[in-house]
Amino acid sequence: MGCPERSRSKRKPTLKNEKLHSFLLELPVNLVRTLAEFLNPVDLALFSQTCSAIYNTLEMYGILPRLSRIDYTSYLAIRARGIPDQWACEICNKLHPVCRRDTPTSLLHRSSCPRRKSMDTFYPQRNFYLWRNHHSRKFQLQHHHVQLALKYSRLQEAEYNPYLKELMRRLCSSQHGLLQTWKEAHPKIVTDRDGNPRFLMFSSWRYNGRSSRDPVWMEVSLRVCPHLEIDLHGKRGDPGDWSVSSPWGDDTLLFEWLNCGERTIGACRRCATDYEVYYGGDFFLDIMVWQDFGIEGNSALDLIWKNHTFCAREPFEDSNPGSFGPGLYHKPGSIRDLYGPIPRLIWR
């Protein structure tokens, strides 16, 4: 991608008698050069944007970074933190203006990126889908939704609060047929032990069979994450024989048996996902999932985001199966503990 140009953003005008004091600029030029050589390419690119004096110094010694595509995407994600009305696009590798009608629950999926609509059509696996109906996508969470929510939550400015409310809106859905189904999504921003705000999601599914002739195990088919799947659709026989796992291999087993009245708790080995499953016999099945989508400044190519989607590698059409590929370890139960008490659910 080459070296990023010096930012031309508007700065607050200074008074004529005001002296700009910086200890960094008082250091010898050779020492500034030595410090810069210890920075990684992304941090060096950000350091070069500090002021024109730093930029010219690095340019004079020829140590301005030449960023790869992945590094440039990370650079834009961090730069966007300081620009409230723009977001970093991983498709164009540019900063785009914010469109406030672009939300996870928007049915039209509006965007200020000219290429995003076509990419979402041909490569929908780039995004995180909480669930899909036969003819509509109810909840389409994109990377910039997470980053904008974290940024506006940090800024706490009245101008951005209405859009933040839309980004953090919970989603509830229900279906009533042979199998009654309730689905919910509750986004939440919490602060971790390091003091970093994180975007978490709590999701729940309740499957309720109306009669013994319509047991839940005849209809349930759900993918908890790209690596773990519950697929009982059309299976018959003793429920104790059901094996619920990823279709890609037994090494990503979700839980081995569904025993009536037992509660199963676990975590995905590949992405930041905790889960809890309770099987109440033929009449209902409860599934609760906690997921971590990272902190502000994470790019769309970081594992904390990519492993929640179906394309965890480049290019976008590559798959993210359960039996192989990059993994992001987390302590089982840590996301659930960080989220805290679960919200009140519509089916409770």
Side-chain angles (χ1 to χ4, degrees):
M1 297 300 299
C3 173
E5 297 182 358
R6 189 166 65 87
S7 175
R8 303 292 182 180
S9 59
K10 295 182 180 179
R11 298 181 182 273
K12 180 181 178 181
T14 59
L15 300 177
K16 292 183 180 180
N17 59 351
E18 182 181 358
K19 295 182 179 180
L20 298 179
H21 182 72
S22 172
F23 291 105
L24 184 62
L25 295 178
E26 294 179 356
L27 296 175
V29 176
N30 289 336
L31 183 57
V32 174
R33 173 189 176 184
T34 303
L35 293 174
E37 291 176 346
F38 283 94
L39 300 177
N40 62 50
V42 175
D43 290 337
L44 183 58
L46 294 168
F47 181 55
S48 69
Q49 304 295 314
T50 305
C51 63
S52 58
I54 296 295
Y55 185 90
N56 294 334
T57 300
L58 299 180
E59 186 179 34
M60 178 179 62
Y61 284 100
I63 56 176
L64 285 174
R66 301 192 63 83
L67 302 180
S68 64
R69 181 184 182 276
I70 295 178
D71 287 340
Y72 193 73
T73 304
S74 300
Y75 161 77
L76 289 179
I78 299 175
R79 247 194 84 189
R81 297 181 72 246
I83 311 177
D85 294 323
Q86 293 187 356
W87 57 278
C89 176
E90 75 279 8
I91 300 175
C92 306
N93 254 357
K94 296 179 180 179
L95 296 178
H96 292 311
V98 171
C99 174
R100 302 198 178 192
R101 291 178 293 178
D102 178 14
T103 65
T105 57
S106 173
L107 295 180
L108 297 179
H109 304 307
R110 302 179 186 274
S111 176
S112 55
C113 172
R115 299 175 56 192
R116 183 162 292 272
K117 184 175 181 180
S118 60
M119 290 295 290
D120 289 344
T121 300
F122 294 103
Y123 304 103
Q125 63 270 28
R126 294 182 313 101
N127 303 319
F128 171 79
Y129 293 98
L130 183 61
W131 60 72
R132 298 188 184 188
N133 283 348
H134 294 295
H135 303 290
S136 65
R137 294 166 181 173
K138 287 288 187 180
F139 192 94
Q140 180 179 333
L141 183 68
Q142 301 186 18
H143 176 261
H144 65 279
H145 294 150
V146 173
Q147 293 300 306
L148 287 173
L150 289 168
K151 177 163 57 177
Y152 294 150
S153 176
R154 170 176 54 86
L155 294 176
Q156 287 296 316
E157 296 183 8
E159 178 184 358
Y160 306 111
N161 286 341
Y163 186 39
L164 174 61
K165 185 178 179 180
E166 291 299 318
L167 291 172
M168 300 298 295
R169 180 187 293 274
R170 75 167 188 170
L171 181 65
C172 302
S173 176
S174 61
Q175 297 176 352
H176 301 278
L178 295 178
L179 188 67
Q180 292 180 325
T181 306
W182 292 269
K183 311 172 186 178
E184 296 189 45
H186 297 265
K188 185 178 181 180
I189 295 178
V190 300
T191 303
D192 61 17
R193 293 182 178 179
D194 297 327
N196 297 316
R198 307 189 74 90
F199 189 100
L200 306 184
M201 180 81 71
F202 168 75
S203 311
S204 68
W205 292 261
R206 156 65 70 97
Y207 297 93
N208 193 352
R210 293 190 172 188
S211 67
S212 60
R213 295 190 303 173
D214 306 310
V216 295
W217 51 268
M218 289 294 294
E219 297 292 338
V220 174
S221 179
L222 171 69
R223 187 178 290 275
V224 175
C225 69
H227 322 104
L228 303 174
E229 183 180 30
I230 299 175
D231 188 7
L232 309 180
H233 182 70
K235 295 191 176 182
R236 300 176 182 273
D238 183 6
D241 294 335
W242 299 340
S243 177
V244 184
S245 64
S246 167
W248 304 97
D250 292 335
D251 56 333
T252 54
L253 195 65
L254 177 57
F255 51 90
E256 193 165 352
W257 307 113
L258 280 175
N259 295 320
C260 181
E262 288 189 0
R263 193 173 300 274
T264 302
I265 299 175
C268 180
R269 303 176 186 177
R270 293 276 312 285
C271 65
T273 299
D274 290 335
Y275 63 82
E276 177 180 321
V277 180
Y278 177 75
Y279 172 60
D282 290 344
F283 295 102
F284 70 89
L285 177 70
D286 292 342
I287 303 170
M288 293 185 288
V289 177
W290 295 260
Q291 293 171 301
D292 181 5
F293 293 94
I295 63 175
E296 188 181 6
N298 289 143
S299 80
L301 303 182
D302 290 338
L303 282 181
I304 189 66
W305 170 258
K306 290 198 303 181
N307 269 17
H308 285 299
T309 67
F310 286 90
C311 53
R313 296 174 293 165
E314 292 295 321
F316 288 128
E317 61 266 21
D318 287 345
S319 62
N320 180 23
S323 57
F324 61 89
L328 184 67
Y329 173 79
H330 75 282
K331 182 179 178 181
S334 60
I335 303 173
R336 176 178 179 170
D337 294 339
L338 184 60
Y339 188 93
I342 64 174
R344 182 178 178 85
L345 304 177
I346 58 175
W347 46 264
R348 286 194 169 185

